[in-house]
Amino acid sequence: MYRRGVLVSENDSPLIKSIAVVGGTGKEGSALAKRWALNGYRVIIGSRSADKAEKSAAETNEELNGEYLTGMANEDAVQNAEIIVLSVPYSAHKSTLETIKPYITGKILVDVTVPIQPPNFTTVHVPEGKAASLESQAFLGEDVKVAAAFQNVSFVKLSDPQGDVNCDVLICGDDLGVKQEVMTLVEAAGMRGIDAGPLANAVAVEALTPVILYINKQHKIKSAGIRITGLDD
Amino acid sequence: MYRRGVLVSENDSPLIKSIAVVGGTGKEGSALAKRWALNGYRVIIGSRSADKAEKSAAETNEELNGEYLTGMANEDAVQNAEIIVLSVPYSAHKSTLETIKPYITGKILVDVTVPIQPPNFTTVHVPEGKAASLESQAFLGEDVKVAAAFQNVSFVKLSDPQGDVNCDVLICGDDLGVKQEVMTLVEAAGMRGIDAGPLANAVAVEALTPVILYINKQHKIKSAGIRITGLDD
């Protein structure tokens, strides 16, 4: 059977993966969650506070006029999903990883975190582990497969689920199968995904975000992005 | 008076700046040199060997059917130009800076170097100083103004002086006036330059090159590039 255009199994659980968006009450996370939910994914909004997560999910469900999302504390969200998307400020990155580590073994982590040091939003900051996603992989160990994606996408463009984002999503990771899963997520959110190489290359992708924020500031816009050119040459 | 479409002063020295391309016998450097020379700049090809530089300049002059370029040893090239463009393999970066340091005080250095570690051309390598251009600035001191640019441009597209490069040039630097000079150089080479922030942001721009080389390899192409989107929103 089909539900919202997506093939689902007879017991009504989608054949496509379930997603927990840890930090899903934030601007980037909630915009992604909305797009995936509208495309038939079972999406759980995660937050440090279950109340806050439930409230955020309820607000989005009201906006979308349907029961698309649920909200849970981060630990429960991770336990109840196959793919974990991490979208938190860098200052909460380490502590959030500590919270979810017991529940994430064997799962995929898509790290959206950008290692910005406020108030310098427009200057590249290279963290100790070179990239937030490399720090995630090092901390969580080999039983968790980490990919990096979505760092360069403006939440302003993302938050309108029908809007054209006009930004490619560079996907980094050391596991080809995981990158293919992420590619599916990128396309489900309405964007073009591009395999950008091993997780080590997330240094470039994460560092590009402060550059984009600098360009936004200089041009008094809110949604600069990037496109890879030459693919059709 | 005008020469090749460019306003020059009465004693025939152009009002526009003179450029030394250190490492100008390489693919990227020689392609840039050719474009600037064709646009009226006085361009000196620099190489460790004066003979090699003279030979390279002569070959390009023959190709272009005119006396566009001269060739000199790197030290002499730097002494005889106002803007120094550094385009060398990262393995020669430090030693080349040592060679030119005595002659570059008060001048502008446009660093094109990408800190790649062969044979891993498609994996980001973060150097000790975080970016080659940051290492240049630290080594040369405050009397030299360093900018970073042109790292993401494919020499394949660049080497045809009439060809459309289809890649934006992200310009990083701590001096706004210097960035404006570099913007002029970018436009003279037929591309769109974008102010990408302070020199610290060169981390992103330099790291993007192995990502582009990875994409080239995956897609079996030679000239992927990047565009910043959303500037006209």
Side-chain angles (χ1 to χ4, degrees), chain A residues 122-124 126 130 157 166-167 170 176 179 194-198 200-201 203-205 207-208 210-212 214-215 218-219 221 223-231 233, chain B residues 122-124 126 130 157 166-167 170 176 179 194-198 200-201 203-205 207-208 210-212 214-215 218-219 221 223-231 233:
Chain A
T122 60
T123 300
V124 172
V126 182
K130 291 180 187 169
K157 291 225 166 181
N166 198 17
C167 183
L170 300 175
L176 207 59
K179 283 198 279 191
I194 293 175
D195 179 356
N201 287 2
V203 171
V205 182
L208 204 50
V211 170
I212 290 171
Y214 179 90
I215 293 170
Q218 289 293 108
H219 291 259
I221 56 177
S223 49
I226 60 143
R227 285 275 186 210
I228 298 296
T229 62
L231 298 187
D233 286 8
Chain B
T122 60
T123 301
V124 172
V126 181
K130 292 180 186 168
K157 291 225 166 181
N166 198 16
C167 182
L170 300 175
L176 207 60
K179 283 198 278 192
I194 293 174
D195 179 356
N201 286 2
V203 170
V205 182
L208 203 51
V211 170
I212 290 172
Y214 179 89
I215 293 169
Q218 289 295 108
H219 291 259
I221 56 176
S223 48
I226 60 142
R227 285 275 186 212
I228 299 296
T229 62
L231 298 189
D233 285 8

Side-chain angles (χ1 to χ4, degrees), chain B residues 102-135:
Chain B
Y103 313 104
I104 201 172
T105 305
K107 301 186 177 188
I108 292 172
L109 179 73
V110 184
D111 203 340
V112 182
T113 308
V114 176
I116 281 177
Q117 271 195 324
N120 295 323
F121 294 96
T122 60
T123 301
V124 172
H125 162 242
V126 181
E128 210 178 303
K130 292 180 186 168
S133 50
L134 287 168
E135 293 178 334

Side-chain angles (χ1 to χ4, degrees), chain A residues 26-29 31 152-160 222-223:
Chain A
K27 287 170 179 173
E28 191 88 8
N152 307 140
V153 182
S154 158
F155 74 85
V156 176
K157 291 225 166 181
L158 212 53
S159 60
D160 169 12
K222 285 185 174 174
S223 49

Side-chain angles (χ1 to χ4, degrees), chain B residues 12-229:
Chain B
D12 203 21
S13 77
L15 293 177
I16 53 180
K17 300 277 166 59
S18 54
I19 306 170
V21 184
V22 172
T25 59
K27 287 170 178 174
E28 191 88 8
S30 65
L32 285 168
K34 207 195 294 185
R35 284 179 174 246
W36 287 320
L38 283 170
N39 276 284
Y41 281 84
R42 191 169 72 82
V43 182
I44 308 166
I45 295 287
S47 172
R48 271 184 298 184
S49 138
D51 279 357
K52 207 176 152 196
E54 284 164 18
K55 199 180 156 209
S56 170
E59 281 169 5
T60 305
N61 285 336
E62 202 179 311
E63 182 194 330
L64 300 178
N65 200 23
E67 289 300 312
Y68 289 92
L69 299 160
T70 52
M72 295 180 190
N74 284 330
E75 300 89 319
D76 296 324
V78 170
Q79 276 184 278
N80 283 281
E82 291 153 291
I83 298 176
I84 318 305
V85 175
L86 179 59
S87 177
V88 293
Y90 184 63
S91 56
H93 189 248
K94 183 78 187 292
S95 61
T96 308
L97 288 173
E98 281 165 357
T99 303
I100 65 176
K101 188 175 183 179
Y103 313 104
I104 201 172
T105 305
K107 301 186 177 188
I108 292 172
L109 179 73
V110 184
D111 203 340
V112 182
T113 308
V114 176
I116 281 177
Q117 271 195 324
N120 295 323
F121 294 96
T122 60
T123 301
V124 172
H125 162 242
V126 181
E128 210 178 303
K130 292 180 186 168
S133 50
L134 287 168
E135 293 178 334
S136 293
Q137 185 68 76
F139 180 74
L140 297 173
E142 289 193 0
D143 290 338
V144 180
K145 295 203 161 87
V146 177
F150 301 109
Q151 289 89 347
N152 307 141
V153 182
S154 158
F155 74 86
V156 175
K157 291 225 166 181
L158 211 54
S159 60
D160 169 11
Q162 314 302 335
D164 175 15
V165 174
N166 198 16
C167 182
D168 288 333
V169 175
L170 300 175
I171 304 167
C172 301
D174 294 331
D175 185 296
L176 207 60
V178 168
K179 283 198 278 192
Q180 280 162 353
E181 293 271 12
V182 178
M183 186 71 81
T184 307
L185 289 188
V186 171
E187 287 168 1
M191 289 167 279
R192 179 171 78 163
I194 293 174
D195 179 356
L199 197 61
N201 286 2
V203 170
V205 182
E206 294 182 14
L208 203 51
T209 300
V211 170
I212 290 172
L213 295 177
Y214 179 89
I215 293 169
N216 276 344
K217 201 174 167 188
Q218 289 295 108
H219 291 259
K220 297 184 174 62
I221 56 176
K222 287 187 174 172
S223 48
I226 60 142
R227 285 275 186 212
I228 299 296
T229 62

Side-chain angles (χ1 to χ4, degrees), chain A residues 79-233:
Chain A
Q79 276 184 279
N80 284 281
E82 292 154 289
I83 298 175
I84 318 306
V85 175
L86 178 58
S87 178
V88 292
Y90 184 63
S91 55
H93 189 248
K94 182 78 188 292
S95 62
T96 308
L97 289 173
E98 281 165 356
T99 303
I100 66 175
K101 188 175 183 180
Y103 314 103
I104 201 173
T105 305
K107 299 187 177 187
I108 292 172
L109 178 73
V110 184
D111 203 339
V112 182
T113 308
V114 176
I116 281 176
Q117 272 195 323
N120 295 322
F121 295 96
T122 60
T123 300
V124 172
H125 162 240
V126 182
E128 208 178 303
K130 291 180 187 169
S133 50
L134 287 168
E135 292 177 335
S136 292
Q137 185 67 78
F139 180 75
L140 297 172
E142 289 192 0
D143 290 338
V144 180
K145 295 201 162 89
V146 177
F150 300 108
Q151 289 89 345
N152 307 140
V153 182
S154 158
F155 74 85
V156 176
K157 291 225 166 181
L158 212 53
S159 60
D160 169 12
Q162 314 304 333
D164 175 15
V165 175
N166 198 17
C167 183
D168 288 333
V169 175
L170 300 175
I171 304 166
C172 301
D174 293 332
D175 185 295
L176 207 59
V178 168
K179 283 198 279 191
Q180 280 161 353
E181 292 271 14
V182 179
M183 186 71 80
T184 306
L185 289 189
V186 172
E187 288 167 1
M191 288 167 278
R192 178 170 79 163
I194 293 175
D195 179 356
L199 197 61
N201 287 2
V203 171
V205 182
E206 294 182 14
L208 204 50
T209 300
V211 170
I212 290 171
L213 296 177
Y214 179 90
I215 293 170
N216 276 344
K217 201 174 167 189
Q218 289 293 108
H219 291 259
K220 298 183 174 61
I221 56 177
K222 285 185 174 174
S223 49
I226 60 143
R227 285 275 186 210
I228 298 296
T229 62
L231 298 187
D232 304 320
D233 286 8

Side-chain angles (χ1 to χ4, degrees), chain A residues 30-110:
Chain A
S30 64
L32 285 168
K34 205 194 296 184
R35 284 178 174 246
W36 287 319
L38 282 170
N39 276 284
Y41 282 82
R42 191 171 70 82
V43 182
I44 309 165
I45 295 288
S47 173
R48 272 183 297 184
S49 139
D51 279 356
K52 207 176 153 198
E54 284 163 19
K55 199 181 157 209
S56 170
E59 281 169 5
T60 305
N61 286 336
E62 202 178 311
E63 181 194 331
L64 300 177
N65 200 23
E67 288 301 312
Y68 290 92
L69 300 160
T70 52
M72 296 179 190
N74 284 331
E75 300 88 320
D76 296 323
V78 170
Q79 276 184 279
N80 284 281
E82 292 154 289
I83 298 175
I84 318 306
V85 175
L86 178 58
S87 178
V88 292
Y90 184 63
S91 55
H93 189 248
K94 182 78 188 292
S95 62
T96 308
L97 289 173
E98 281 165 356
T99 303
I100 66 175
K101 188 175 183 180
Y103 314 103
I104 201 173
T105 305
K107 299 187 177 187
I108 292 172
L109 178 73
V110 184

